[in-house]
Amino acid sequence: VPVPLKANGRDLTQEILDSLAEKDSFKTNEEFPDVPQQEIKAALDRLGSRSMIQYDTLDSEQILLTQEGRMIAEEGSHEYKVWEVVKSKGKIAIKDLPKVVGADTAKIGQGAAFKNKWIKKDGDSLLPVADSPKDTAREILADIQSTKSVADPKVFADLKKRKLATTGKVITYNVRKGPKYAKEMVVEVTDLTADMLANGSWQSANFKPYNFKALGAAQNSGALHPLMKVRAEFRAIFFNQGFVEMPTSRFVESGFWNFDALFVPQQHPARDQQDTFFISDPSKADMPREDPIGEAAMDAMEGGARLLYQPKEPRKLVPRDYKKYFNDVKTVHQDGLFGSTGYRYPFSEDESLRLVLRTHTTAVSTWCLHRLAEDPRPARYFSIDRVFRNETVDATHLAEFHQVEGVIADFGLTLGGLMRFMEDFFGKLGLTNLRFKPAYNPYTEPSMEIFGYHIGLAKWVEIGNSGMFRPEMLEPMGLPKDLRVYGFGLSLERPTMIKYGVSNIRDLLGHKVDLGFIETNAAVRLDKN
Ligand code: PHE
């Protein structure tokens, strides 16, 4: 903060030089008791950098009066003010006192004045008792104000309790003349000009010294949004555990990929207007078919990872048949298939081809799992991206948010293994002692909500949803019966809110976000154990 040479019409720099003309040294708190610390320091540095003065910093604990303490020291205690009024009037109605001395003084002062026997009650009025009482409270505080100390610690403790005095750090500078001391600051030249070089005046000019301590101007720069910082942490955890990132760039899905392929019945409440944003234009999706863009993205991300698994039988790629897949999904819902009795309702192809803003990233997991059926093998997939729900927006809900999702496919997986994996995964985020609660998802059985004890919040918080995907979902894809798949999902917003101490989700995401909050937040470090 630049401090003007002449603050409040005073030229402090000159005053310091004047003081040193009279004495060899002084303490700033004695010489300039009313000048703010910052101005003193600026003036001292201005002179110090030119070797005109030298100074030492002395800091000490001092006893200081609060605003109320200062008022009493200057104007008298509340009880004294009450007594003064009662004495001068001879008699005053209790109800009139606040009008004369103010409500606070009337309230606090009366009690103490009674206790000190300075005044007494007479019906509804007050009468003076003492003639010329001693205002000890004021004397003590006035003494502190001048000496900045209290001899009796008990007295200080009492004043502190009454919020009349506190301790504070006081910085004082001990100032003395420097080797280049002069009675006035000489005019300083800031620029070396061609003229000065030509006429030789540069030789005698008094150049202003460089201030190497000056901070540069703040730079505008980009900043990662806190959600993206937490996302980076999650990604690192996933990558370290051999997960491959799924291609989530498609926000619009068909009802087929978002719901039907997940064995979500078409009458399920989550599908109707309350939770899902439907797209009206175009009115209809294509039938499920190959997706070359997603395919290329997944190939690139998986790289050679799939070849790490060597099946017992030589590898045989199973070509994908989308017509059969669609029909098997339909039959599983409508009539039952693969040993399942199904839901037994007439499956609507139109409903399946309605376009929706994806309500969960499990739509992408489903696509990746159907792709896995081409070459069934153990696989670990994850994604972190945006999902959309037609929900009432409040402090903890938005119509769009981010999901962190993981999928693990392997032979011989058990529920115990899922719980163990969850403990490891959340342990990396600093959440231990997980609790699992039976839950329901149309696409997983069993399903479990995951709760973690949050030490900072001192309570159990729901941190995720998980389960083992149902055969009704996996078998129409053509995955072998003994390949089991875990899935789990959580929001990215919840851990971010906990981490950054944000209690309203709208401060984190959406049009109300303060850009300063994004620019100034520290890099996140999840407390790992
Ligand atoms: N899709 C679930 C949700 O939106 C999360 C989940 C993913 C649950 C995979 C089980 C398996 O909450």
Side-chain angles (χ1 to χ4, degrees), residues 262 359-363 365 387 389 401 403-407 441 443-444 447-448 462 464-469 486-490:
L262 283 110
T359 61
H360 52 190
T361 44
T362 318
S365 303
V387 299
R389 298 210 183 149
F401 60 97
Q403 270 187 342
V404 178
E405 171 144 337
V407 167
N441 296 310
Y443 39 92
T444 53
S447 311
M448 301 181 299
E462 199 207 317
N465 180 9
S466 67
M468 296 183 74
F469 287 114
Y486 301 148
F488 63 96
L490 58 139

Short mmCIF file of all heavy atoms in Angstrom, two decimals, residues 262 359-363 365 387 389 401 403-407 441 443-444 447-448 462 464-469 486-490, ligand 1:
data_model
loop_
_atom_site.label_atom_id
_atom_site.label_comp_id
_atom_site.label_asym_id
_atom_site.label_seq_id
_atom_site.Cartn_x
_atom_site.Cartn_y
_atom_site.Cartn_z
N LEU A 262 -29.53 -50.46 -18.02
CA LEU A 262 -29.22 -50.65 -16.60
C LEU A 262 -30.36 -51.35 -15.86
O LEU A 262 -30.37 -51.36 -14.63
CB LEU A 262 -28.96 -49.29 -15.95
CG LEU A 262 -27.62 -48.68 -16.23
CD1 LEU A 262 -27.75 -47.47 -17.15
CD2 LEU A 262 -26.96 -48.27 -14.93
N THR A 359 -28.41 -38.65 -16.40
CA THR A 359 -28.68 -38.41 -14.98
C THR A 359 -27.59 -38.99 -14.11
O THR A 359 -27.50 -38.69 -12.93
CB THR A 359 -30.03 -39.03 -14.57
OG1 THR A 359 -29.96 -40.44 -14.80
CG2 THR A 359 -31.18 -38.43 -15.37
N HIS A 360 -26.78 -39.85 -14.68
CA HIS A 360 -25.62 -40.39 -13.97
C HIS A 360 -24.56 -40.82 -14.97
O HIS A 360 -24.86 -41.07 -16.14
CB HIS A 360 -25.98 -41.54 -13.01
CG HIS A 360 -26.79 -42.64 -13.64
ND1 HIS A 360 -27.38 -43.63 -12.90
CD2 HIS A 360 -27.12 -42.89 -14.93
CE1 HIS A 360 -28.02 -44.45 -13.71
NE2 HIS A 360 -27.88 -44.03 -14.93
N THR A 361 -23.31 -40.89 -14.51
CA THR A 361 -22.24 -41.33 -15.41
C THR A 361 -22.27 -42.84 -15.56
O THR A 361 -21.48 -43.41 -16.34
CB THR A 361 -20.85 -40.88 -14.88
OG1 THR A 361 -20.79 -41.12 -13.48
CG2 THR A 361 -20.63 -39.40 -15.16
N THR A 362 -23.18 -43.50 -14.84
CA THR A 362 -23.32 -44.95 -14.99
C THR A 362 -23.76 -45.30 -16.41
O THR A 362 -23.56 -46.43 -16.87
CB THR A 362 -24.29 -45.50 -13.92
OG1 THR A 362 -24.02 -44.84 -12.69
CG2 THR A 362 -24.12 -46.98 -13.71
N ALA A 363 -24.34 -44.31 -17.13
CA ALA A 363 -24.67 -44.53 -18.55
C ALA A 363 -23.38 -44.82 -19.32
O ALA A 363 -23.37 -45.68 -20.21
CB ALA A 363 -25.35 -43.28 -19.10
N SER A 365 -20.51 -45.96 -17.92
CA SER A 365 -19.99 -47.25 -17.43
C SER A 365 -20.67 -48.38 -18.17
O SER A 365 -20.05 -49.39 -18.50
CB SER A 365 -20.25 -47.40 -15.92
OG SER A 365 -19.67 -46.33 -15.23
N VAL A 387 -23.30 -34.49 -14.46
CA VAL A 387 -24.59 -35.15 -14.65
C VAL A 387 -25.69 -34.13 -14.35
O VAL A 387 -25.42 -33.09 -13.76
CB VAL A 387 -24.74 -36.39 -13.74
CG1 VAL A 387 -23.66 -37.42 -14.06
CG2 VAL A 387 -24.70 -36.01 -12.27
N ARG A 389 -29.83 -33.33 -13.12
CA ARG A 389 -31.07 -33.82 -12.52
C ARG A 389 -32.02 -32.66 -12.31
O ARG A 389 -31.62 -31.60 -11.84
CB ARG A 389 -30.79 -34.50 -11.17
CG ARG A 389 -29.89 -35.70 -11.38
CD ARG A 389 -30.10 -36.79 -10.37
NE ARG A 389 -29.13 -37.84 -10.64
CZ ARG A 389 -28.61 -38.62 -9.71
NH1 ARG A 389 -29.00 -38.49 -8.45
NH2 ARG A 389 -27.74 -39.54 -10.04
N PHE A 401 -24.33 -31.44 -11.44
CA PHE A 401 -23.20 -31.62 -10.53
C PHE A 401 -22.26 -32.66 -11.13
O PHE A 401 -22.47 -33.09 -12.28
CB PHE A 401 -23.68 -32.01 -9.13
CG PHE A 401 -24.48 -33.29 -9.06
CD1 PHE A 401 -23.88 -34.49 -8.70
CD2 PHE A 401 -25.83 -33.29 -9.36
CE1 PHE A 401 -24.61 -35.67 -8.64
CE2 PHE A 401 -26.57 -34.47 -9.30
CZ PHE A 401 -25.96 -35.66 -8.94
N GLN A 403 -20.19 -36.36 -10.96
CA GLN A 403 -20.10 -37.66 -10.31
C GLN A 403 -18.72 -38.25 -10.51
O GLN A 403 -18.12 -38.12 -11.57
CB GLN A 403 -21.12 -38.63 -10.92
CG GLN A 403 -22.45 -38.59 -10.21
CD GLN A 403 -23.40 -39.67 -10.70
OE1 GLN A 403 -23.22 -40.24 -11.77
NE2 GLN A 403 -24.41 -39.93 -9.90
N VAL A 404 -18.24 -38.87 -9.44
CA VAL A 404 -17.02 -39.67 -9.50
C VAL A 404 -17.52 -41.10 -9.53
O VAL A 404 -18.34 -41.48 -8.69
CB VAL A 404 -16.17 -39.45 -8.23
CG1 VAL A 404 -14.92 -40.31 -8.27
CG2 VAL A 404 -15.83 -37.98 -8.05
N GLU A 405 -17.10 -41.87 -10.50
CA GLU A 405 -17.65 -43.22 -10.62
C GLU A 405 -16.54 -44.22 -10.92
O GLU A 405 -15.61 -43.91 -11.68
CB GLU A 405 -18.69 -43.21 -11.74
CG GLU A 405 -19.17 -44.59 -12.09
CD GLU A 405 -20.64 -44.60 -12.47
OE1 GLU A 405 -21.38 -43.68 -12.06
OE2 GLU A 405 -21.05 -45.54 -13.16
N GLY A 406 -16.64 -45.38 -10.33
CA GLY A 406 -15.67 -46.43 -10.60
C GLY A 406 -16.36 -47.75 -10.88
O GLY A 406 -17.44 -48.03 -10.34
N VAL A 407 -15.75 -48.53 -11.73
CA VAL A 407 -16.29 -49.84 -12.10
C VAL A 407 -15.12 -50.83 -12.08
O VAL A 407 -14.05 -50.53 -12.61
CB VAL A 407 -16.91 -49.77 -13.52
CG1 VAL A 407 -17.18 -51.16 -14.05
CG2 VAL A 407 -18.19 -48.95 -13.51
N ASN A 441 -30.75 -50.03 -5.79
CA ASN A 441 -30.62 -49.47 -7.13
C ASN A 441 -31.19 -50.51 -8.07
O ASN A 441 -30.97 -51.70 -7.86
CB ASN A 441 -29.14 -49.28 -7.53
CG ASN A 441 -28.41 -48.27 -6.66
OD1 ASN A 441 -28.89 -47.17 -6.45
ND2 ASN A 441 -27.25 -48.66 -6.17
N TYR A 443 -30.13 -51.40 -10.78
CA TYR A 443 -29.08 -52.07 -11.56
C TYR A 443 -28.04 -52.80 -10.71
O TYR A 443 -27.14 -53.41 -11.26
CB TYR A 443 -28.39 -51.07 -12.49
CG TYR A 443 -28.19 -49.71 -11.87
CD1 TYR A 443 -27.02 -49.38 -11.20
CD2 TYR A 443 -29.20 -48.75 -11.94
CE1 TYR A 443 -26.86 -48.13 -10.61
CE2 TYR A 443 -29.04 -47.50 -11.35
CZ TYR A 443 -27.88 -47.20 -10.70
OH TYR A 443 -27.72 -45.98 -10.11
N THR A 444 -28.12 -52.69 -9.39
CA THR A 444 -27.16 -53.43 -8.55
C THR A 444 -27.90 -54.24 -7.50
O THR A 444 -28.95 -53.86 -7.01
CB THR A 444 -26.16 -52.49 -7.84
OG1 THR A 444 -26.88 -51.49 -7.13
CG2 THR A 444 -25.19 -51.84 -8.82
N SER A 447 -26.91 -53.70 -3.02
CA SER A 447 -26.50 -52.30 -3.14
C SER A 447 -26.19 -51.79 -1.73
O SER A 447 -26.83 -52.21 -0.77
CB SER A 447 -27.60 -51.43 -3.72
OG SER A 447 -28.15 -52.01 -4.88
N MET A 448 -25.24 -50.89 -1.66
CA MET A 448 -24.89 -50.35 -0.33
C MET A 448 -24.63 -48.86 -0.42
O MET A 448 -23.90 -48.40 -1.31
CB MET A 448 -23.59 -50.99 0.19
CG MET A 448 -23.64 -52.48 0.33
SD MET A 448 -22.08 -53.10 0.97
CE MET A 448 -20.94 -52.60 -0.29
N GLU A 462 -23.04 -39.37 4.35
CA GLU A 462 -23.15 -40.30 3.25
C GLU A 462 -22.16 -39.88 2.19
O GLU A 462 -22.14 -38.74 1.76
CB GLU A 462 -24.57 -40.29 2.67
CG GLU A 462 -24.81 -41.56 1.87
CD GLU A 462 -25.83 -41.42 0.77
OE1 GLU A 462 -26.87 -40.79 0.99
OE2 GLU A 462 -25.56 -41.96 -0.32
N GLY A 464 -21.23 -42.16 -0.56
CA GLY A 464 -21.32 -42.81 -1.86
C GLY A 464 -22.38 -43.89 -1.90
O GLY A 464 -22.99 -44.24 -0.89
N ASN A 465 -22.55 -44.40 -3.12
CA ASN A 465 -23.53 -45.44 -3.41
C ASN A 465 -22.77 -46.50 -4.18
O ASN A 465 -21.85 -46.18 -4.94
CB ASN A 465 -24.63 -44.77 -4.24
CG ASN A 465 -25.75 -45.72 -4.62
OD1 ASN A 465 -25.82 -46.85 -4.15
ND2 ASN A 465 -26.63 -45.24 -5.49
N SER A 466 -23.11 -47.76 -3.96
CA SER A 466 -22.32 -48.79 -4.60
C SER A 466 -23.12 -50.07 -4.75
O SER A 466 -24.24 -50.18 -4.24
CB SER A 466 -21.08 -49.09 -3.75
OG SER A 466 -21.50 -49.69 -2.53
N GLY A 467 -22.54 -51.04 -5.43
CA GLY A 467 -23.22 -52.32 -5.52
C GLY A 467 -22.55 -53.22 -6.54
O GLY A 467 -21.52 -52.88 -7.12
N MET A 468 -23.13 -54.40 -6.71
CA MET A 468 -22.67 -55.33 -7.73
C MET A 468 -23.72 -55.37 -8.82
O MET A 468 -24.91 -55.61 -8.54
CB MET A 468 -22.46 -56.72 -7.12
CG MET A 468 -21.35 -56.68 -6.07
SD MET A 468 -20.99 -58.29 -5.38
CE MET A 468 -20.11 -59.08 -6.72
N PHE A 469 -23.29 -55.09 -10.06
CA PHE A 469 -24.26 -54.98 -11.15
C PHE A 469 -25.02 -56.29 -11.33
O PHE A 469 -24.47 -57.38 -11.18
CB PHE A 469 -23.55 -54.57 -12.44
CG PHE A 469 -23.13 -53.12 -12.45
CD1 PHE A 469 -21.80 -52.78 -12.46
CD2 PHE A 469 -24.09 -52.11 -12.41
CE1 PHE A 469 -21.41 -51.44 -12.46
CE2 PHE A 469 -23.71 -50.78 -12.41
CZ PHE A 469 -22.37 -50.44 -12.43
N TYR A 486 -18.27 -54.69 -9.89
CA TYR A 486 -18.60 -53.72 -8.83
C TYR A 486 -18.81 -52.37 -9.49
O TYR A 486 -18.15 -52.05 -10.49
CB TYR A 486 -17.42 -53.46 -7.88
CG TYR A 486 -16.85 -54.61 -7.12
CD1 TYR A 486 -15.49 -54.60 -6.82
CD2 TYR A 486 -17.65 -55.63 -6.62
CE1 TYR A 486 -14.91 -55.61 -6.07
CE2 TYR A 486 -17.07 -56.64 -5.88
CZ TYR A 486 -15.71 -56.63 -5.61
OH TYR A 486 -15.14 -57.62 -4.86
N GLY A 487 -19.65 -51.56 -8.88
CA GLY A 487 -19.76 -50.17 -9.30
C GLY A 487 -19.93 -49.29 -8.08
O GLY A 487 -20.50 -49.74 -7.07
N PHE A 488 -19.44 -48.09 -8.16
CA PHE A 488 -19.70 -47.14 -7.07
C PHE A 488 -19.66 -45.72 -7.61
O PHE A 488 -19.05 -45.44 -8.64
CB PHE A 488 -18.71 -47.30 -5.93
CG PHE A 488 -17.28 -47.00 -6.30
CD1 PHE A 488 -16.74 -45.74 -6.05
CD2 PHE A 488 -16.48 -47.96 -6.88
CE1 PHE A 488 -15.42 -45.46 -6.39
CE2 PHE A 488 -15.17 -47.69 -7.23
CZ PHE A 488 -14.63 -46.45 -6.98
N GLY A 489 -20.39 -44.87 -6.93
CA GLY A 489 -20.44 -43.49 -7.39
C GLY A 489 -20.56 -42.54 -6.21
O GLY A 489 -21.09 -42.89 -5.16
N LEU A 490 -20.02 -41.33 -6.39
CA LEU A 490 -20.17 -40.30 -5.37
C LEU A 490 -20.14 -38.95 -6.07
O LEU A 490 -19.75 -38.86 -7.22
CB LEU A 490 -19.07 -40.37 -4.30
CG LEU A 490 -17.63 -40.26 -4.75
CD1 LEU A 490 -16.84 -39.40 -3.79
CD2 LEU A 490 -17.02 -41.65 -4.82
N1 PHE B 1 -25.43 -44.30 -10.40
C1 PHE B 1 -25.41 -44.25 -8.97
C2 PHE B 1 -25.86 -42.86 -8.52
O1 PHE B 1 -26.18 -42.06 -9.36
C3 PHE B 1 -24.07 -44.55 -8.40
C4 PHE B 1 -23.72 -46.00 -8.63
C5 PHE B 1 -22.87 -46.35 -9.63
C6 PHE B 1 -24.25 -46.97 -7.82
C7 PHE B 1 -22.56 -47.68 -9.86
C8 PHE B 1 -23.94 -48.29 -7.99
C9 PHE B 1 -23.08 -48.64 -9.02
O2 PHE B 1 -25.91 -42.58 -7.33
#
